[in-house]
Amino acid sequence: MEMEPIEVSSQQITLKKEDAKKSKALKRSLLLLNCAMLGIGNCAGPLLLRLYFVRGGKRIWFSSWLETGGWPIILFPFAALYLNRLRGRGDSHDDKRLFIMKPLVFIACVLIGILTGLDDYFYAYGVARLPVSTASLIIAIQLAFTAFFAFLLVRQRFTPYSINSVVLLTVAAVVLSLHTSGDRPANESSKQYLVGFFMTIGASALYGLVLPMVELTYKKANQAITYSLVMEMQMVISVFATLFCTVGMLFNKDFEVIPREAKEYELGETKYYLVVVFSAIIWQFFFLGAIGVIFYGSSLLAAVIITTLLPVTEILAVFFFQESFKAEKGISLALSLWGFASYFYGELRARKKCNQTPKSETP
């Protein structure tokens, strides 16, 4: 009589272990998927934005609007997740609602959205004035800002490997900065170049704040953090960032100028709209990937990936826009890859230690 409950209990433990393994494998796969999306957006987004300006585009508010204006794309996975919740076996009232976000989370996303819109403008202004390679090296400083704000807001724990990664990637940005004096475009004044330089630094600082703010919202949400909620949060952030930039476009009368600008575009009117549409789509890859990496990893991991891929963007800029590739860029690429490897080696060691600890404590 006493053996039956023991057998049932052992079966349940086995099933739980199998479910935990499947959950870890799924989480790892989704993390890799979001890393890939972040990588595509991080490399292709700046190139398309620069292509817009190099070939005749001049509207900074419009280009900043494009960075989040593709948010309707989110409606497709959002609808799929909602239908999946309806088909699920959950009896919770939240499972049947279209929007599951609580008011405080909504307010936090509105604030993050406005900051993202301001960051979009700062970044677009910088890309309009600076070569992609120069803008990328300045954006690399974002890692230091993210590490600082992550420590303040979410008490990010640093290991020797993550500290080494931050130092290496920051040094890589400093090494790249050694050649910026010769990068000023011939048709721009020193004042315009400097304003673009400092606006890009402002973009680095702002997005370095935004990433930990998203992670803090997850921690303080006071509700279950599911991928449906993450998608909903990203949609609200993108909508309010787009509204912020739309107001700027209205004041700047960009909507009136766009048709004329398309006709005068060097690559032709059709390619103008192709550049605009693909730019909006690619930037959504960036933002969806970033918020997914924060959900499955951390804000610091998202910043490390963004910083690590900046030299790749620079190499692509050299190929597509014939920008110079000096020795400093090669050194920076090596330091960035070293920093990236350092971070992930530390993560692997931490996971290995975490997996071994329960076994050693089990009697």
Side-chain angles (χ1 to χ4, degrees):
M1 294 295 291
E2 294 179 355
M3 290 298 293
E4 291 182 0
I6 294 175
E7 290 178 1
V8 172
S9 177
S10 63
Q11 289 175 358
Q12 289 176 344
I13 291 172
T14 303
L15 289 173
K16 284 181 179 179
K17 286 182 178 180
E18 290 178 356
D19 289 341
K21 287 181 180 179
K22 290 179 181 178
S23 178
K24 283 184 178 180
L26 179 61
K27 181 179 177 181
R28 195 172 298 143
S29 300
L30 290 172
L31 176 59
L32 290 174
L33 175 62
N34 282 280
C35 287
M37 291 173 62
L38 178 59
I40 292 170
N42 191 60
C43 292
L47 296 175
L48 286 169
L49 196 60
R50 185 60 181 168
L51 179 63
Y52 166 80
F53 288 113
V54 166
R55 297 300 182 178
K58 295 180 175 65
R59 317 311 297 182
I60 294 175
W61 274 112
F62 176 50
S63 59
S64 62
W65 184 92
L66 291 174
E67 294 178 44
T68 51
W71 66 264
I73 296 171
I74 304 175
L75 292 173
F76 294 102
F78 179 77
L81 288 168
Y82 174 65
L83 292 174
N84 186 58
R85 290 207 310 271
L86 290 179
R87 288 197 299 266
R89 291 177 292 178
D91 296 327
S92 172
H93 177 63
D94 287 349
D95 294 334
K96 312 303 178 186
R97 290 190 303 164
L98 180 61
F99 297 102
I100 59 176
M101 185 183 298
K102 290 188 176 181
L104 287 177
V105 178
F106 176 79
I107 293 170
C109 289
V110 170
L111 176 60
I112 294 171
I114 293 171
L115 289 175
T116 301
L118 183 61
D119 177 71
D120 290 343
Y121 178 76
F122 282 3
Y123 182 70
Y125 194 100
V127 173
R129 302 299 182 194
L130 308 176
V132 175
S133 57
T134 306
S136 296
L137 71 91
I138 299 171
I139 290 297
I141 305 171
Q142 171 195 311
L143 181 64
F145 286 115
T146 303
F148 175 72
F149 288 121
F151 176 74
L152 290 181
L153 296 179
V154 295
R155 294 294 184 264
Q156 174 73 47
R157 291 182 179 180
F158 289 97
T159 66
Y161 299 100
S162 60
I163 293 172
N164 184 51
S165 176
V166 170
V167 171
L168 286 169
L169 292 168
T170 304
V171 170
V174 173
V175 169
L176 278 171
S177 68
L178 297 176
H179 79 287
T180 56
S181 57
D183 274 357
R184 180 166 61 87
N187 59 342
E188 287 183 9
S189 64
S190 298
K191 181 180 178 182
Q192 289 176 321
Y193 183 87
L194 286 174
V195 171
F197 190 90
F198 286 110
M199 290 286 268
T200 310
I201 291 177
S204 299
L206 262 179
Y207 205 64
L209 172 63
V210 164
L211 292 176
M213 283 183 69
V214 172
E215 188 174 355
L216 180 65
T217 304
Y218 290 162
K219 293 180 180 295
K220 301 293 184 181
N222 197 25
Q223 67 179 110
I225 305 298
T226 62
Y227 198 67
S228 297
L229 178 62
V230 170
M231 196 69 66
E232 193 174 321
M233 288 173 62
Q234 179 56 35
M235 187 165 63
V236 173
I237 291 169
S238 295
V239 166
F240 278 90
T242 305
L243 287 174
F244 179 87
C245 295
T246 302
V247 173
M249 289 180 67
L250 288 171
F251 276 101
N252 205 41
K253 299 182 179 179
D254 282 8
F255 290 105
E256 301 173 13
V257 179
I258 289 171
R260 185 175 73 247
E261 186 176 74
K263 291 178 181 178
E264 297 173 355
Y265 197 62
E266 290 181 17
L267 299 178
E269 187 173 359
T270 302
K271 289 184 179 178
Y272 174 88
Y273 289 112
L274 283 175
V275 170
V276 164
V277 170
F278 276 101
S279 182
I281 293 172
I282 288 297
W283 278 115
Q284 281 307 303
F285 273 69
F286 173 84
F287 286 109
L288 282 172
I291 204 167
V293 170
I294 296 171
F295 177 63
Y296 291 110
S298 68
S299 57
L300 184 61
L301 174 59
V304 167
I305 293 171
I306 291 169
T307 306
T308 303
L309 291 174
L310 291 178
V312 178
T313 306
E314 294 199 10
I315 293 171
L316 293 174
V318 170
F319 180 77
F320 288 111
F321 300 116
Q322 287 75 51
E323 295 182 5
S324 62
F325 189 89
K326 297 183 180 179
E328 293 90 346
K329 293 184 180 181
I331 295 171
S332 175
L333 176 61
L335 288 171
S336 296
L337 293 174
W338 185 7
F340 187 70
S342 175
Y343 180 86
F344 274 97
Y345 179 71
E347 287 295 301
L348 288 173
R349 282 179 60 91
R351 286 185 182 182
K352 186 177 180 181
K353 185 178 179 181
C354 186
N355 291 335
Q356 288 177 346
T357 302
K359 292 180 182 180
S360 61
E361 292 178 354
T362 302

